[in-house]
Amino acid sequence: MESAAAARIVVGLLQDPYLNVRLSACNILGLSGDARYVTALRPLLGDPKTERMALYSLSLLGDAQIRPRLMAMIQGEASNAPYAIENLGRIRDPNDVPFFRSILRCGEEAKILGAVKGIRSWSVAKSALYDDLCRLAAHGHEEAMLVAAEVGNPD
């Protein structure tokens, strides 16, 4: 964030009575890429109305402490899994590459799409999973095709 005063205002908006204002402030702090806002965002995880946006923003800031919550979402209700998988990729933990390989091979389109979106900006995973991305692309998976093309042949 450009100025400390602006940052204080946005952090203060996390307490606003209007949900849309809180969600917007959360999004702004996540998009800032500044990990100093992790502490301000974590309390939003306790509110079902702000939890998903908080997870998204914290994943953008690389907060590995949300990993257990994301893994629980992946193993829980099926409709939450793609969202949680995508956010897990944003954390960029190299130890998660084998997990993403298993998702890319699972045959469940929604989860595969979440994984491909999650690794899109993660060069380490894209390179490590290049063969899997190419296999998906060869079977017509457009998103995998785009991500594989970004990598090229890593050899």
Side-chain angles (χ1 to χ4, degrees):
M1 200 140 314
E2 297 240 353
S3 76
R8 281 192 302 276
I9 291 169
V10 175
V11 169
L13 291 174
L14 294 173
Q15 305 302 319
D16 195 89
Y18 294 100
L19 177 61
N20 287 340
V21 173
R22 291 194 310 274
L23 294 174
S24 295
C26 182
N27 191 34
I28 289 167
L29 294 174
L31 292 171
S32 76
D34 190 334
R36 292 179 296 177
Y37 301 123
V38 165
T39 305
L41 291 168
R42 281 195 190 134
L44 297 178
L45 293 171
D47 181 347
K49 294 177 184 174
T50 57
E51 179 184 36
R52 285 176 72 93
M53 180 60 77
L55 286 168
Y56 168 73
S57 295
L58 289 165
S59 73
L60 290 174
L61 300 177
D63 183 12
Q65 288 189 22
I66 64 170
R67 188 180 188 287
R69 188 179 295 246
L70 294 172
M71 293 305 287
M73 287 176 76
I74 292 165
Q75 295 164 358
E77 188 178 323
S79 64
N80 288 327
Y83 177 82
I85 292 166
E86 184 175 347
N87 284 318
L88 184 64
R90 290 190 188 103
I91 296 172
R92 298 182 181 160
D93 182 342
N95 295 318
D96 286 330
V97 170
F99 173 77
F100 278 88
R101 178 172 285 111
S102 72
I103 296 296
L104 292 176
R105 296 176 179 179
C106 77
E108 296 179 49
E109 179 56 33
K111 287 182 177 181
I112 291 169
L113 184 58
V116 172
K117 287 181 175 182
I119 64 172
R120 182 153 204 167
S121 62
W122 182 15
S123 59
V124 170
K126 286 192 303 189
S127 294
L129 301 170
Y130 179 75
D131 290 341
D132 290 293
L133 291 167
C134 287
R135 181 185 48 77
L136 289 166
H139 287 93
H141 195 290
E142 293 179 15
E143 192 77 19
M145 208 176 294
L146 293 170
V147 175
E150 292 170 0
V151 177
N153 190 337
D155 293 331

